[in-house]
Amino acid sequence: IFCAFIGISLIHFRYRKKLDKYLFICLQCFFILSAISEIFFTSFIYLSDWTSIAGHIIGVLAAYFLYKGVFETGIRRPYTFLSNHLDESDSKVKLFEEIITQNEQCVKMLINNCDDAVFVVNDNKIVFANKKMSELLGIERVDDIINSSVERIMLEEVKSQAYNLINNTLNNKSSASFVESKLLRADGQAIDIEVSTCFCMYKGEPSVMIMFRDITPRKQIEVLKNNILENKKLISKTTEL
């Protein structure tokens, strides 16, 4: 048994570079102490001999080193490693949450100061709108339209087009360039607008962000230009006569 422990110790020493240093030291102590313990066990005559007592004490020490090596390397260290990494991951998650929250606040600030009317639709309801949207609709507070149906601002003639635009954006998770449409104000007046949509996540829900641009002044200018042209044609005809 002594020779077996010494042989295993020598083999173990040859592969020391492939092992954890702490585990290597503990196992070497176990092999050497176990070998010494066997020497004491083979030399005692009575159980009460000092060699027997010394053999048992050294055997206990050998078992202690084996326990330390296996327990520390195989259980405690991996647990500590995982625990530290979990704490680190937890800290990173909290950091990302803070960054996302700050970014959401920045996005809201930009949207609220945007020159165009911006609002978010979820389940055909307006769940968010900026100040410009309330101005465009002619209402005092943005909260007055939150959670109201999107049909509230639709003219009957553009409902089909509007719903197609919203559904296509939502289903394809895409965006759409500005197209001309009409908007129904709170006072019942219809105004000309350009509308653009894009897919977004609002409070964890798939939604559609919609941007309105009032083009009433541009349309009025176009009407005036057309009137001027018509008047010029009439004047030319009158001159010819």
Side-chain angles (χ1 to χ4, degrees), residues 128-220:
F128 170 82
N130 67 351
K131 294 176 183 177
K132 195 70 178 178
M133 184 66 179
S134 61
E135 293 174 11
L136 190 62
L137 291 173
I139 58 176
E140 291 184 5
R141 300 186 310 145
V142 174
D143 292 341
D144 292 340
I145 59 168
I146 300 300
N147 291 325
S148 61
S149 172
V150 73
E151 285 192 14
R152 175 178 173 178
I153 60 174
M154 289 181 185
L155 286 168
E156 194 66 36
E157 62 193 77
V158 298
K159 273 186 182 180
S160 177
Q161 176 199 16
Y163 277 124
N164 284 338
L165 192 60
I166 291 170
N167 291 333
N168 286 337
T169 302
L170 191 61
N171 294 334
N172 298 322
K173 296 182 179 179
S174 59
S175 60
S177 302
F178 280 102
V179 294
E180 290 189 7
S181 187
K182 289 185 178 292
L183 172 71
L184 182 64
R185 283 170 50 91
D187 58 7
Q189 180 188 352
I191 60 172
D192 293 302
I193 59 167
E194 281 185 336
V195 56
S196 174
T197 62
C198 71
F199 176 83
C200 71
M201 295 296 292
Y202 184 76
K203 294 185 177 180
E205 294 291 330
S207 308
V208 177
M209 182 179 288
I210 302 173
M211 183 178 290
F212 284 163
R213 184 175 292 167
D214 187 4
I215 58 171
T216 303
R218 191 176 80 193
K219 286 291 184 181
Q220 289 173 346

Side-chain angles (χ1 to χ4, degrees), residues 1-11 31 35:
I1 296 174
F2 169 81
C3 292
F5 277 120
I6 295 298
I8 294 171
S9 177
L10 292 172
I11 294 169
F31 294 138

Side-chain angles (χ1 to χ4, degrees), residues 5-239:
F5 277 120
I6 295 298
I8 294 171
S9 177
L10 292 172
I11 294 169
H12 185 249
F13 183 80
R14 284 186 62 188
Y15 293 99
R16 65 188 182 280
K17 292 182 179 179
K18 296 181 180 181
L19 298 170
D20 178 81
K21 187 177 180 181
Y22 184 81
L23 177 63
F24 169 75
I25 292 171
C26 287
L27 288 179
Q28 281 294 96
C29 289
F30 166 72
F31 294 138
I32 293 168
L33 289 173
S34 294
I36 294 171
S37 174
E38 289 302 321
I39 293 175
F40 279 101
F41 283 144
T42 55
S43 62
F44 78 89
I45 299 174
Y46 300 104
L47 287 174
S48 57
D49 286 351
W50 71 271
T51 52
S52 174
I53 296 170
H56 281 92
I57 292 172
I58 295 170
V60 170
L61 282 173
Y64 171 76
F65 279 109
L66 178 63
Y67 162 79
K68 287 290 286 183
V70 173
F71 180 78
E72 288 284 346
T73 309
I75 299 176
R76 181 177 291 176
R77 283 190 181 180
Y79 174 79
T80 306
F81 176 80
L82 286 172
S83 179
N84 290 338
H85 272 64
L86 285 172
D87 290 340
E88 186 180 343
S89 298
D90 222 25
S91 300
K92 286 182 179 178
V93 169
K94 288 179 181 177
L95 178 62
F96 286 141
E97 285 176 350
E98 288 177 7
I99 291 170
I100 290 168
T101 302
Q102 290 172 2
N103 284 343
E104 284 181 355
Q105 291 171 352
C106 290
V107 169
K108 282 185 178 180
M109 183 185 71
L110 290 172
I111 291 174
N112 281 325
N113 289 281
C114 180
D115 289 333
D116 294 322
V118 179
F119 65 105
V120 177
V121 173
N122 177 266
D123 196 23
N124 292 330
K125 288 185 178 180
I126 299 170
V127 293
F128 170 82
N130 67 351
K131 294 176 183 177
K132 195 70 178 178
M133 184 66 179
S134 61
E135 293 174 11
L136 190 62
L137 291 173
I139 58 176
E140 291 184 5
R141 300 186 310 145
V142 174
D143 292 341
D144 292 340
I145 59 168
I146 300 300
N147 291 325
S148 61
S149 172
V150 73
E151 285 192 14
R152 175 178 173 178
I153 60 174
M154 289 181 185
L155 286 168
E156 194 66 36
E157 62 193 77
V158 298
K159 273 186 182 180
S160 177
Q161 176 199 16
Y163 277 124
N164 284 338
L165 192 60
I166 291 170
N167 291 333
N168 286 337
T169 302
L170 191 61
N171 294 334
N172 298 322
K173 296 182 179 179
S174 59
S175 60
S177 302
F178 280 102
V179 294
E180 290 189 7
S181 187
K182 289 185 178 292
L183 172 71
L184 182 64
R185 283 170 50 91
D187 58 7
Q189 180 188 352
I191 60 172
D192 293 302
I193 59 167
E194 281 185 336
V195 56
S196 174
T197 62
C198 71
F199 176 83
C200 71
M201 295 296 292
Y202 184 76
K203 294 185 177 180
E205 294 291 330
S207 308
V208 177
M209 182 179 288
I210 302 173
M211 183 178 290
F212 284 163
R213 184 175 292 167
D214 187 4
I215 58 171
T216 303
R218 191 176 80 193
K219 286 291 184 181
Q220 289 173 346
I221 291 169
E222 287 176 2
V223 170
L224 286 172
K225 283 181 178 179
N226 290 333
N227 289 339
I228 290 169
L229 288 172
E230 288 295 326
N231 288 332
K232 280 183 178 180
K233 287 178 182 179
L234 288 173
I235 291 169
S236 295
K237 286 180 180 180
T238 305
T239 306

